[in-house]
Amino acid sequence: MTHRLAAAPAMMSPVLYACDGAVAIVSIDNPPVNALSLPVRRGLREALGRAVADPAVKAILIVGTGRIFCGGADIREFDHAAAAPSLTDVLDAIEASRKPVVAAVHGAALGGGLELAMACHGRLCATGTRLALPEVTLGLIPGAGGTQRLPRLIPLHDALPMIVMGKPIDAAQADRLELVDQVVAPDALIDSARDYALGLADREVHPVRSRPVNADGDALAIVDGFAQEHRARILGQEAPAAALDALRNAIRIGFDEAVANERAMSLKLRTGPQSVALRHLHFAEREVFKLPGLDGVAPRRMERVGIVGAGTMGTGIALAMLSAGLSVMLVEQQPAVLCRARDAIEARLVRDVAKGSMARAQADTALRQLELSGAYQDLGEADLIIEAAYESMGVKQDIFAMLDQVARTGAILASNTSYLDIDAIAAATRRPQDVMGLHFFSPANIMRLLEVVRGRESAPDIIASGLSLARKIGKVPVVAGNCHGFIGNRMLAVRRVQAEAMLAEGATPQAIDRIIEAFGFPMGPFRMADLAGLDLGWSATTSSGATIRERLNEAGRHGQKAGAGFYDYDIAGKAVPSLAADAIVRRYAQDHGIAQRLIDSEEMHDRLFLPMIDEGIRILAEGVALRPGDIDVVWVNGYGWPRHTGGPMHFARAMGLGNLADGLRSIGVAPSPALQKLVASGASLDTLAQSIG
Ligand code: COA
């Protein structure tokens, strides 16, 4: 196919116009994701007007240049007032066109991109395309008819998870649901779409708006049933609730009124705190890949991965690597542990295939790429070796000394330590420049966070390799400086100190857990501690009753697995308040002369959140984290901080640093020097750290 491409009508327009015979080809050319920014909306409307006015044009094709058709509205515009023409204006013009308009979709049609395609008279998509309305993940709902057109094009039942949860579908599903008219090979897309558009030219086509909502049964009951079924998951979030209302409107009121309502709801959500927080995370989760000094630094080769230690973490890390197509040599000295790990990996892959989240061929390849060994010598070929052994400096130093003997020159050596000194671990080798921390979170094949810990001597290409590995295995990496607990666990320790102090002062585990869970965390600190096991790092021989935890362990209360910890557990595994644990805590308080009192929920909230947030500020001031957003990414992806509040640093910004300092003083905690300085100077959190040191 040949066609003339011209920027139209003004030079530098992000919408190109060309004619190929009787078909006008309108191309969105707005890298990197063809977002529908104002010049694109203007360009689309003008190109459409030009095509409609040209008597030689019989049909119009809308395509995207580059990797994807269209990534939706330009998120950067959401911080400003909406400007005309709106996407709705453009889509109305498309739908009203006398000449058929067909979308040729490749790569992805997201948000406004899918709304654009749905307003066209026909849609073709290339195999491998992803289609979604992800607005709710940004605290929004579609604002250009997406909630109205989708349930007219596909069954309501299938539209619900896409609109209310942002669930994506692939080209094959879009084909099955008849969201698209044809699915074709990527290199046949434009030609097929052109033919398809010409085929529509002489036919009467009915716009999507004229169709009824596609529901089998009582449509309102279907929406209400979905809302009920997913109540817990969407609790406290404004956007899914608004999306459900928009769907109810699709059923109850006329198209134009429902679209106007949808747009009003979308604009209102845009300025609300939840969307602001979620947009902050969208950008923060991309910024983590950008590190000063790493521009143009190529990662090292990482095809063969060695993992030392086949416990829970080693097994989870192996799964994450295998699922991403990397080959793994899992080394473990206890044959029984190694066997168990292999079985667990196989069982998980079988489950993934059964669930449909992995193709059988991929699972077979993954299993084939797993090798097991009891000998470090077998790691000689590995490009990257991750140690996931017991959390003890002595153990880790011994392993690294051994790895130094067997690893090939240039191999990357990483420790999965969750708080130990990475420089001291690196010092056990003669190649500290090749060493870094790769702190995975449990379960390592599921949790998205990866802390990449930069040691004093870690080479730039080692850190670049950590970031590149994360991308390869679908994790969000955050580079952290070396300190006890790095970013996440260091802040968590501060929360834990406050939580346990309040316990001794008379608060119950359930009251404290409730505060954290009401905030939106999946689990409070005491239920979490019970689940992880209170005996983690505890030893009966050295235990001296010095902490509440030690006393619980001494009483055999090792957590949920023992049926007793901070809580008692019934046979169904449900946590129930424990008189025995309460008695242990009271006795501890007596022994330490701690007076027990009633602690109100406001004090509990402040003590649980404010000191740990201030610890985040110390972390920034010390250069352990590069940006406030990095800390937010850690907490949201590794610790269950609710996304729609943006993370601890976003939370601090929203509450005001002066209020944070006052709040700390009101609970008897001195604000950190860094916070005091910020408050005195009126400077923002972003001025704190600029380099990881
Ligand atoms: N508006 C503005 N910028 C966007 C954008 C959008 N809708 N979607 C992506 N970008 C930016 C990213 O912030 C990133 O910017 P950076 O290079 O300055 O960091 C750049 O485009 C590339 O995005 P990235 O996510 O790194 O690329 P990718 O190829 O991995 O993924 C997408 C591309 C489109 C799949 C992904 O960016 C995405 O899901 N975007 C959000 C889409 C969305 O929610 N649209 C609805 C908006 S209401």
Side-chain angles (χ1 to χ4, degrees):
M1 181 188 72
T2 52
H3 56 260
R4 289 166 286 115
L5 281 184
M11 290 304 286
M12 307 298 289
S13 167
V15 174
L16 309 176
Y17 186 89
C19 280
D20 180 17
V23 179
I25 299 180
V26 176
S27 310
I28 308 173
D29 183 29
N30 188 24
V33 299
N34 290 334
L36 296 162
S37 47
L38 180 61
V40 172
R41 301 196 301 273
R42 275 200 194 117
L44 280 173
R45 202 172 59 173
E46 284 162 9
L48 191 74
R50 183 169 167 184
V52 168
D54 183 346
V57 169
K58 297 264 179 281
I60 302 155
L61 212 56
I62 300 185
V63 306
T65 63
R67 284 182 302 137
I68 66 171
F69 173 70
C70 176
D74 186 340
I75 302 169
R76 287 171 221 273
E77 281 185 357
F78 292 170
D79 294 333
H80 312 288
S86 69
L87 185 58
T88 307
D89 298 335
V90 177
L91 302 195
D92 284 349
I94 289 176
E95 215 174 33
S97 160
R98 288 176 284 108
K99 302 177 182 179
V101 185
V102 168
V105 178
H106 76 288
L110 306 177
L114 181 53
E115 289 182 296
L116 169 62
M118 289 194 294
C120 292
H121 304 108
R123 282 156 295 286
L124 269 75
C125 97
T127 47
T129 301
R130 194 156 61 97
L131 303 101
L133 292 174
E135 282 84 349
V136 283
T137 63
L138 293 171
L140 299 164
I141 61 170
T147 64
Q148 307 303 307
R149 288 194 178 89
L150 190 62
R152 286 174 161 84
L153 277 163
I154 68 172
L156 178 60
H157 177 81
D158 298 291
L160 272 158
M162 289 184 72
I163 292 172
V164 181
M165 312 291 213
K167 184 176 167 277
I169 59 169
D170 61 22
Q173 288 166 299
D175 197 20
R176 213 166 35 247
L177 295 171
E178 296 181 20
L179 177 56
V180 294
D181 302 298
Q182 282 179 21
V183 176
V184 297
D187 54 8
L189 179 65
I190 301 293
D191 285 348
S192 304
R194 190 195 45 203
D195 294 347
Y196 188 80
L198 277 176
L200 292 182
D202 303 319
R203 297 205 343 234
E204 194 184 350
V205 275
H206 298 288
V208 175
R209 67 166 66 212
S210 64
R211 301 186 189 187
V213 167
N214 181 352
D216 195 9
D218 179 345
L220 275 178
I222 295 174
V223 174
D224 291 343
F226 185 89
Q228 188 56 30
E229 189 188 337
H230 297 280
R231 207 170 58 90
R233 208 170 132 195
I234 59 187
L235 194 71
Q237 297 172 54
E238 291 165 2
L244 286 161
D245 282 344
L247 276 161
R248 292 187 184 102
N249 283 344
I251 298 157
R252 279 196 298 233
I253 61 179
F255 185 88
D256 286 329
E257 191 188 348
V259 168
N261 263 330
E262 180 207 63
R263 179 156 171 78
M265 278 195 273
S266 173
L267 288 175
K268 182 159 173 249
L269 287 169
R270 208 195 252 203
T271 51
Q274 295 194 358
S275 179
V276 171
L278 289 161
R279 272 144 48 201
H280 156 69
L281 285 171
H282 168 94
F283 290 111
E285 284 174 352
R286 285 162 175 81
E287 205 163 13
V288 290
F289 287 97
K290 296 169 193 160
L291 234 73
L294 285 197
D295 261 2
V297 175
R300 295 189 190 175
R301 188 179 74 203
M302 283 176 292
E303 277 149 31
R304 296 161 184 234
V305 180
I307 297 172
V308 177
T312 312
M313 284 313 288
T315 305
I317 296 170
L319 256 167
M321 303 293 163
L322 292 165
S323 305
L326 297 165
S327 67
V328 170
M329 168 72 70
L330 186 55
V331 174
E332 163 66 58
Q333 276 160 350
Q334 299 179 58
V337 176
L338 201 53
C339 247
R340 212 168 46 227
R342 194 205 173 274
D343 290 349
I345 290 170
E346 182 167 6
R348 177 69 206 205
L349 292 171
V350 167
R351 235 187 4 255
D352 286 350
V353 172
K355 263 195 345 212
S357 58
M358 189 183 278
R360 175 168 301 278
Q362 193 190 350
D364 290 345
T365 308
L367 258 191
R368 261 200 317 276
Q369 291 191 328
L370 172 65
E371 287 182 90
L372 308 173
S373 168
Y376 285 97
Q377 282 69 16
D378 288 335
L379 292 169
E381 300 284 297
D383 304 314
L384 160 68
I385 304 174
I386 302 173
E387 163 276 314
Y390 182 65
E391 194 73 342
S392 138
M393 181 57 83
V395 169
K396 291 193 190 280
Q397 285 183 324
D398 287 350
I399 292 173
F400 273 76
M402 191 81 80
L403 294 179
D404 195 26
Q405 304 294 323
V406 300
R408 69 165 173 80
T409 304
I412 303 163
L413 307 182
S415 171
N416 177 50
T417 178
S418 49
Y419 57 87
L420 294 174
D421 180 348
I422 202 71
D423 291 331
I425 295 173
T429 72
R430 289 159 301 168
R431 38 173 129 176
Q433 73 282 0
D434 294 342
V435 178
M436 69 177 151
L438 284 180
H439 180 205
F440 288 81
F441 289 71
S442 187
N445 51 317
I446 308 268
M447 297 295 284
R448 288 184 74 211
L449 178 64
L450 179 63
E451 275 184 326
V452 176
V453 186
R454 175 180 247 174
R456 195 175 40 236
E457 298 188 47
S458 306
D461 67 347
I462 285 286
I463 301 303
S465 302
L467 297 177
S468 162
L469 174 76
R471 214 188 267 285
K472 215 176 248 176
I473 61 176
K475 306 243 176 265
V476 190
V478 174
V479 176
N482 181 29
C483 70
H484 193 79
F486 318 125
I487 298 175
N489 280 347
R490 177 166 156 186
M491 291 168 71
L492 186 70
V494 171
R495 189 178 83 177
R496 177 168 147 182
V497 165
Q498 288 292 338
E500 293 187 7
M502 284 193 281
L503 208 58
E505 291 167 37
T508 60
Q510 53 276 20
I512 293 173
D513 280 352
R514 217 179 298 125
I515 297 276
I516 295 291
E517 286 161 19
F519 188 80
F521 281 87
M523 208 181 268
F526 293 113
R527 278 218 300 134
M528 179 68 96
D530 275 357
L531 186 65
L534 298 186
D535 54 350
L536 261 182
W538 175 78
S539 145
T541 45
T542 55
S543 189
S544 60
T547 63
I548 293 173
R549 273 178 192 249
E550 283 194 346
R551 291 190 180 195
L552 289 168
N553 273 311
E554 286 160 17
R557 304 184 68 90
H558 301 308
Q560 184 164 352
K561 63 187 170 191
F566 286 104
Y567 293 89
D568 287 337
Y569 289 85
D570 64 18
I571 38 170
K574 186 171 178 295
V576 289
S578 166
L579 290 176
D582 281 356
I584 291 173
V585 171
R586 267 202 311 279
R587 184 66 204 269
Y588 172 89
Q590 267 167 16
D591 291 350
H592 288 80
I594 301 169
Q596 293 218 309
R597 64 190 170 93
L598 208 68
I599 304 182
D600 66 28
S601 49
E602 193 180 339
E603 179 180 340
M604 274 192 252
H605 178 280
D606 286 353
R607 288 178 65 179
L608 288 168
F609 286 100
L610 306 190
M612 72 158 259
I613 289 174
D614 197 25
E615 192 66 21
I617 293 176
R618 282 179 218 270
I619 282 173
L620 277 173
E622 288 169 23
V624 168
L626 185 56
R627 297 159 282 233
D630 289 15
I631 296 180
D632 292 334
V633 172
V634 163
W635 271 80
V636 166
N637 292 289
Y639 296 83
W641 185 291
R643 277 189 87 80
H644 62 274
T645 61
M649 296 297 108
H650 184 79
F651 189 79
R653 220 183 259 130
M655 79 179 284
L657 298 182
N659 292 334
L660 173 62
D662 291 346
L664 282 161
R665 287 190 195 96
S666 77
I667 53 169
V669 175
S672 63
L675 174 58
Q676 292 183 35
K677 237 166 59 202
L678 286 178
V679 173
S681 66
S684 89
L685 275 178
D686 301 289
T687 58
L688 273 182
Q690 301 305 328
S691 66
I692 301 267

